[in-house]
Amino acid sequence: MTGERRQLAPVLESSCVTSVCLDMEAYDRSTIMEELKEDANAVMQKDKEVYLAMPRIFRAGTAEWVRQILPDIKRMGFAGVLVRNYEELALAKETFLGSEIITDHNLYCYNDQAVRAFSGQGVTKNTVPLELNRSEIKRRYNEESMMMLYGYYPLMTSAQCVHKNTKGCDKCPTITYLKDRYQAQFPVKNYCSACYNVVYNSLPVMLFSNIRELQKAGLRTFRLDFTMESEKMTGNVMDLLEEFLYEDRRQYPEHWKEHYTNGHYKRGVE
C-alpha cells in the first residue's frame, strides 16, 4: 500500500507485486480525482490490480464527501476496497465499490469465529491483527487473510494534532516527531483532509525472513505498508524483499540491522 504518491513508481517496478492499494489520504481533496485516476491507470497498465484504501477516520463530513465522489471513483476500475472501520464496511456493502472488500488489521479478526463473522458480512479478505505472535497466527485460519510484512505500525490515531499544537495549523501534511525517555523518535503524520494524526512506531516491522514460515501457516497474500518512506527507500525495501523471495536470502544485510523490528511476531503482546 502506498501512502505517498512518490512511492508508487518503485512499487510498480517490482516483479513480486501483483496488486497495489492507493490510500485516499495520500491525495489532496482538491486534486484527488485527477491524481487518483492517473495513479490507478498507471497500476493497471503494469497488469496489476488496483485497490482503494479508505480513511482511518470516517466522520460525517468525510463520509458525505466520499459519497459525492463515489460515482467517479467506481468508474476508475478498482478491484476492491480496504475498509478501516465499520462505517466504511457498511458503505462498501451498500455501494459495491469493487468486487472485493478487505478489512484492515484494526477490524479485529483474532480467531476463526471472527473471520467467519466478517465473511458473513461480505468481507472477502481480512488482515492479520498486528498484535498476534507466530504461535497465535499458526492456530488461526489464514487462507482468507493477508499479512503485513513491512511497515511502521500505527500506535495511536488521534484528533489531537501535534503539528497544530507545536507549529500552528497550516493545512499542510507533514511529519512531526515525539521523543520518549529512551530518546527514541516516534513519527507523527497529520492527515489534513480528514483532520487527524497517526503516531507510528519508531522502527518499521520487517518480517521478510519469516516468509516461508508464514506460507506454511496458510498465508498466501502479503502486504507492505509504505507511509513516510522516500522513493529511494521504497525501492530499497522492494529490492530486499525480492532477494528473500527469489535469491534465497535468509539473513538481513548488516546495514539493515538496528533499523527494523519484529513487532509482536516472536513474543506477542506483553
Side-chain angles (χ1 to χ4, degrees), residues 42-108:
V43 175
M44 290 184 285
Q45 286 171 5
K46 290 288 187 176
D47 294 324
K48 304 178 192 296
E49 290 187 314
V50 61
Y51 292 81
L52 183 68
M54 302 288 279
R56 289 176 177 82
I57 301 296
F58 208 57
R59 299 187 184 96
T62 302
E64 181 180 355
W65 168 67
V66 170
R67 286 182 179 276
Q68 289 175 355
I69 63 176
L70 267 181
D72 291 327
I73 289 179
K74 291 173 70 173
R75 288 193 286 267
M76 293 182 188
F78 287 98
V81 61
L82 175 73
V83 298
R84 288 162 158 165
N85 49 62
Y86 290 101
E87 292 83 2
E88 292 173 356
L89 175 56
L91 178 65
K93 290 171 59 180
E94 173 190 338
T95 59
F96 302 103
L97 180 57
S99 59
E100 290 192 61
I101 299 176
I102 305 170
T103 53
D104 209 351
H105 53 77
N106 60 310
L107 288 174
Y108 208 64

Side-chain angles (χ1 to χ4, degrees), residues 117-132:
F118 277 107
S119 180
Q121 294 299 313
V123 172
T124 55
K125 188 169 292 182
N126 63 78
T127 305
V128 175
L130 305 182
E131 295 84 356
L132 300 189

Side-chain angles (χ1 to χ4, degrees), residues 14-34:
S14 175
S15 60
C16 64
V17 174
T18 59
S19 60
V20 177
C21 189
L22 303 175
D23 194 336
M24 289 186 71
E25 296 291 17
Y27 304 87
D28 186 270
R29 289 194 183 187
S30 63
T31 55
I32 185 172
M33 300 313 296
E34 296 81 8

